[in-house]
Amino acid sequence: MNRFKGCVLVKFRKSPPNIVKLRFEKELEYQVWGNHMLRLTWTFVAMVIIVELAIFVFKKLNGGAENTEEYLLIYIVTPTLINVSILAVTHAVSRRLLANGRYSIQAYLYLFCLSLLCLMLALAHNAVPVIYVIFTFPVLLALIYIDDNLLLGVFCLNFFLYLFYIGLLYFAYDHTEWIRKPDFMNVLTAAAIIVAGYMSAKMSLRRQNSLVYSIICAHERTKMDSLTGLYNHATFYERLSARIQEHHQSFQPFSLIIMDIDDFKQVNDQNGHDAGDKIIMTLVGCIKANLREDEVAYRYGGEEFTIITNRVPDEDVVLAESIRQSFEEAARETGNQTPATVSIGIARYDAKRFGARREFFSAADEALYAAKRSGKNHTLVWHEDISVFHI
């Protein structure tokens, strides 16, 4: 399935169903960014506390802040407790969401938290008109996530919070000394700035989308085999390592399938390299026709291919046999003098048996060559009796 129009040879696997989904959720490292933004927000809250204390000390030295206890309670203690509580809850929930791969939900939650922090800061400093435009900050920060829907959602939220904030000031200024009545022109100007900030962010996002699209396409092409359109040798090992790590967390069973075209050199020698390429593409077609949406095949090298599948035991054999049989039939129709078949080896991951990636791959590889030794055009699942490698 091509994710981007015009970006050829790029196949992206479907992610689990989600309530919302960021546009580039699977292509960008949102887990790293999510943790980084949480740390920056803690730093931001700490800086706000330091600035508040510095303002308090400055006012005391210059004869201001006559009622120390009231000043500390209104401007420092109460806002700090609320901000830290909001951020602590968001941090705990966000870490769990990021660990479970729910990057989109975490992004919405984080920006909602940031919007509430801005509201609290605006309330604490309502006497300073310039504080009104702080509601633009979450909107601009939403650009990091490169998602149109998220940007619109954050803008709507913050514009609503701004209107709520202004309404609260108008309602409470007669009842509370530390609330100042907002000036109409300041209110109108701040609203215009927030809208302008969103419009500017939206224009910038269009450019970002184009750049990210180009970068992802270029990066994906480096992972692809130019002839077959499958992922290459290096990408296979990256994904295999990642899948082993996932297994240690989820314990979901998975298998590694390795296949190799039998007597491929003879096919090339007798029919020519163009015929050899045609045979390779015939096998690739059979592989793609049998894969599910969440499965990816790799060209390991030459006439050798691999598949990492989450199918349960026995279903992995059904997949391999379907590919083997369909290739045998399709290869006959190519008209080559030498009939082409494929041998297949399967290894099922067992954390107790295969501690490292190399050991697991070697097991599947040994099953493949055992299939070749048994007469070729076979599928064989690895077991202890056929192991000849040394760990």
Side-chain angles (χ1 to χ4, degrees):
M1 177 181 65
N2 285 336
R3 172 75 180 271
F4 301 111
K5 183 179 179 181
C7 183
V8 297
L9 301 180
V10 181
K11 179 178 178 180
F12 294 97
R13 293 175 294 110
K14 284 188 174 180
S15 57
N18 220 335
I19 299 174
V20 288
K21 185 179 178 183
L22 300 175
R23 181 175 183 185
F24 299 110
E25 183 171 305
K26 287 297 180 182
E27 290 73 53
L28 301 180
E29 296 180 343
Y30 281 121
Q31 183 171 14
V32 175
W33 274 107
N35 286 316
H36 187 57
M37 296 308 298
L38 286 171
R39 289 192 294 268
L40 283 180
T41 308
W42 278 112
T43 304
F44 169 73
V45 170
M47 290 178 62
V48 168
I49 296 172
I50 293 172
V51 170
E52 296 286 5
L53 289 172
I55 293 173
F56 169 71
V57 172
F58 178 79
K59 286 188 174 183
K60 288 296 291 183
L61 293 175
N62 289 274
E66 297 178 358
N67 192 332
T68 301
E69 292 183 359
E70 182 180 1
Y71 185 92
L72 290 174
L73 181 64
I74 293 175
Y75 294 101
I76 299 178
V77 176
T78 301
T80 298
L81 288 176
I82 294 175
N83 290 343
V84 170
S85 299
I86 292 173
L87 188 52
V89 172
T90 303
H91 186 97
V93 177
S94 291
R95 292 297 295 271
R96 182 176 293 274
L97 290 172
L98 290 172
N100 293 331
R102 307 302 295 272
Y103 307 129
S104 52
I105 302 297
Q106 190 276 331
Y108 277 88
L109 174 65
Y110 168 73
L111 290 170
F112 177 75
C113 160
L114 188 64
S115 301
L116 292 182
L117 294 180
C118 290
L119 175 63
M120 293 306 304
L121 193 60
L123 283 172
H125 296 279
N126 65 89
V128 184
V130 74
I131 201 68
Y132 295 176
V133 299
I134 197 171
F135 293 97
T136 310
F137 180 56
V139 177
L140 298 178
L141 198 62
L143 283 171
I144 291 176
Y145 295 93
I146 318 178
D147 187 85
D148 303 79
N149 293 330
L150 178 64
L151 178 64
L152 177 61
V154 173
F155 164 70
C156 292
L157 170 64
N158 279 271
F159 199 77
F160 169 79
L161 289 177
Y162 173 70
L163 296 178
F164 170 78
Y165 166 72
I166 295 300
L168 185 62
L169 295 186
Y170 273 110
F171 175 78
Y173 81 95
D174 280 336
H175 304 85
T176 310
E177 293 182 1
W178 61 277
I179 296 286
R180 304 292 179 87
K181 181 179 179 180
D183 179 78
F184 178 75
M185 288 305 298
N186 290 337
V187 171
L188 194 62
T189 301
I193 291 175
I194 295 172
V195 174
Y198 167 69
M199 297 302 294
S200 299
K202 188 175 181 180
M203 293 176 62
S204 176
L205 188 59
R206 292 178 182 175
R207 179 60 177 165
Q208 277 184 289
N209 281 330
S210 178
L211 289 173
V212 172
Y213 159 80
S214 300
I215 292 170
I216 290 176
C217 285
H219 180 63
E220 287 295 319
R221 288 190 186 101
T222 66
K223 298 181 176 183
M224 311 299 288
D225 173 66
S226 58
L227 174 64
T228 63
L230 300 180
Y231 284 112
N232 59 25
H233 180 278
T235 309
F236 161 71
Y237 274 116
E238 290 177 7
R239 180 54 194 153
L240 182 60
S241 297
R243 186 63 190 85
I244 290 174
Q245 292 299 320
E246 291 171 10
H247 175 83
H248 291 160
Q249 296 177 356
S250 65
F251 303 105
Q252 182 182 11
F254 75 100
S255 303
L256 172 60
I257 300 174
I258 304 179
M259 59 190 72
D260 184 90
I261 300 175
D262 299 321
D263 303 316
F264 185 70
K265 185 178 184 304
Q266 186 177 350
V267 173
N268 264 336
D269 292 343
Q270 294 185 3
N271 302 280
H273 289 284
D274 287 342
D277 288 346
K278 187 176 181 180
I279 285 294
I280 285 176
M281 292 307 299
T282 300
L283 177 57
V284 170
C286 294
I287 292 173
K288 289 182 176 180
N290 285 278
L291 291 185
R292 299 187 305 209
E293 289 276 352
D294 62 341
E295 294 172 329
V296 181
Y298 307 83
R299 188 181 186 186
Y300 187 78
E303 67 276 17
E304 196 166 8
F305 298 85
T306 59
I307 300 171
I308 300 173
T309 175
N310 294 329
R311 304 193 190 201
V312 297
D314 294 336
E315 285 190 9
D316 50 9
V317 176
V318 172
L319 169 62
E321 278 294 284
S322 179
I323 294 172
R324 186 188 65 79
Q325 293 172 9
S326 61
F327 173 67
E328 185 177 11
E329 294 176 4
R332 290 198 197 100
E333 299 175 2
T334 60
N336 291 333
Q337 299 177 14
T338 307
T341 58
V342 64
S343 296
I344 303 176
I346 302 175
R348 294 159 181 164
Y349 188 73
D350 182 351
K352 296 179 180 178
R353 181 65 185 85
F354 308 115
R357 178 186 72 182
R358 177 184 64 84
E359 299 165 1
F360 181 46
F361 180 85
S362 296
D365 201 39
E366 176 58 29
L368 167 64
Y369 283 99
K372 284 185 174 293
R373 289 194 299 269
S374 65
K376 303 177 183 177
N377 195 22
H378 288 308
T379 296
L380 190 62
V381 179
W382 182 88
H383 53 85
E384 294 281 353
D385 294 340
I386 65 171
S387 177
V388 296
F389 67 91
H390 301 283
I391 299 172

